[in-house]
Amino acid sequence: MNLLKPHNVPRHVAIIMDGNGRWAQRQGEARVFGHHSGATRVREVVETAGNMGVDFLTLYAFSEENWRRPDDEVNALFSLLISYLKDEVERLHENGVRLKSIGNIDRLPPDCQEWLRLVEQRTGNNQGLTLVLALSYGARSDMVRACQSIAADVQRGFIQANEIDESLIQSRLSTSIMPEPDLLIRTSGEQRLSNFLLWEMAYTEFYFTPIHWPDFSKEDFATAISVYSDRERRFGGLISP
Ligand code: IPE
Ligand code: IPE
Ligand code: MG
């Protein structure tokens, strides 16, 4: 398939992969069926993003609030994640993808943590797309952790309170491993952030689509990139005539 490469490809794309459950239920299937189909889309979008020259792709796979879901669904999501990591590790490696994770990883089931570590190690030296999985991630708690670590340093006398600036705060967030997202895509028609990358998205361009994640194709991804490439980003300044 020949997906046209727009002139202005975002360096970092973040995606809230939403709508799996509704997509399945609409067809009379269990929600988990939607998560399975969604995993296929992850494979495709990772490949397409890499081919288009995106440097960072951050996928919101499980929020801190998603722990409120029934145990069955949570367990199914984590076994799906393990299958994805097992099945994809060599393909990711061959394609030069480097896997990273953000979020409260300690809360994940131990086998899941183990697989994440393994794939992160295996792909750690790759130079292509960086794929960041946000797992048990919540932007507010990430900011709380950053504040705690800065406060501890102030208490020990390592830094003065008046030395705290934006770059210091940024450096203590789990997202310090990546640039700020240029483009956020959210599928399924919902138009909210659901506690995703609140600090980092101060100047991100938003793209909302009614398509549910299991239907979100390579072409839909390319459309989002092309809409982004026509946007005018001002960052509070003025565009020169
Ligand atoms: C997104 O789909 C996947 C996760 C949140 C893990 P949902 O499971 O939220 O699907 P809907 O929004 O209920 O349809
Ligand atoms: C956000 O989707 C989290 C992920 C996609 C992983 P949710 O479906 O959990 O968000 P809300 O509850 O509709 O805001
Ligand atoms: Mg949802």
Side-chain angles (χ1 to χ4, degrees), residues 17-22 31 66 69 186 188 190 192:
M17 308 180 290
D18 200 12
N20 293 354
R22 279 166 287 161
R31 293 177 52 84
N66 288 149
R69 295 192 181 192
R186 183 168 188 154
S188 89
E190 307 299 355
R192 55 178 170 265

Side-chain angles (χ1 to χ4, degrees), residues 99-154:
L99 187 105
K100 293 272 178 201
S101 55
I102 54 170
N104 200 349
I105 303 299
D106 295 348
R107 259 188 103 176
L108 267 45
D111 49 350
C112 215
Q113 295 185 38
E114 191 53 40
W115 270 101
L116 272 174
R117 257 196 303 274
L118 213 133
V119 181
E120 287 189 28
Q121 266 167 19
R122 176 85 176 124
T123 63
N125 292 324
N126 290 341
Q127 304 287 315
L129 175 81
T130 300
L131 170 62
V132 182
L133 298 181
L135 293 162
S136 190
Y137 174 84
R140 286 183 174 176
S141 67
D142 204 32
M143 288 193 251
V144 167
R145 269 192 299 274
C147 290
Q148 287 171 341
S149 105
I150 294 169
D153 279 357
V154 172

Side-chain angles (χ1 to χ4, degrees), residues 14-19 22 31 60 63 65-66 68-69 184-198 201 205-209 212:
I15 307 183
I16 302 179
M17 308 180 290
D18 200 12
R22 279 166 287 161
R31 293 177 52 84
Y60 205 7
S63 74
E65 290 74 21
N66 288 149
R68 296 177 187 153
R69 295 192 181 192
L184 168 78
I185 300 170
R186 183 168 188 154
T187 59
S188 89
E190 307 299 355
Q191 302 192 4
R192 55 178 170 265
L193 291 180
S194 303
N195 203 10
F196 191 37
L197 304 175
L198 301 182
M201 295 211 282
E205 295 292 326
F206 290 177
Y207 178 85
F208 297 110
T209 169
H212 290 306

